[in-house]
Amino acid sequence: MAQVLVRDLDDSIVARLKAMAKAQNISLEQKFRDMAAREVAAVEERFEEISRRSREQTRGSTLDSTAIIREDRDR
């Protein structure tokens, strides 16, 4: 497993995170792991939603990109 060192965190933020972790009965390290996992999941979820909308918007499109690709290659 990888390790990450975070420098120059504001003391008040660290204190608040420690309090949050204590209230959840977990370590500060676990709090950071949970936060990182949630952030990654949120980014992936947003990407999937954008991809889904893009597929819906282009479903049934009759656009033939062959000519556009050929023109670009001929430049």
Side-chain angles (χ1 to χ4, degrees):
M1 292 254 173
Q3 292 184 355
V4 176
L5 173 65
V6 181
R7 298 176 194 263
D8 300 324
L9 281 174
D10 188 87
D11 291 338
S12 64
I13 292 174
V14 173
R16 290 171 64 191
L17 287 169
K18 282 182 179 180
M20 292 167 66
K22 185 175 182 179
Q24 295 173 334
N25 201 29
I26 60 174
S27 68
L28 180 59
E29 286 184 18
Q30 185 61 49
K31 182 71 178 166
F32 273 100
R33 282 190 290 270
D34 293 348
M35 289 168 41
R38 278 194 307 274
E39 180 65 20
V40 168
V43 168
E44 289 174 349
E45 187 176 306
R46 286 190 300 267
F47 175 79
E48 289 173 7
E49 175 61 22
I50 291 167
S51 298
R52 184 190 60 75
R53 277 188 270 146
S54 178
R55 283 191 305 274
E56 286 176 2
Q57 290 173 349
T58 58
R59 183 173 292 132
S61 175
T62 59
L63 176 66
D64 182 6
S65 60
T66 306
I68 297 169
I69 294 169
R70 189 167 289 128
E71 178 184 327
D72 190 48
R73 287 181 182 165
D74 290 342
R75 283 189 215 177

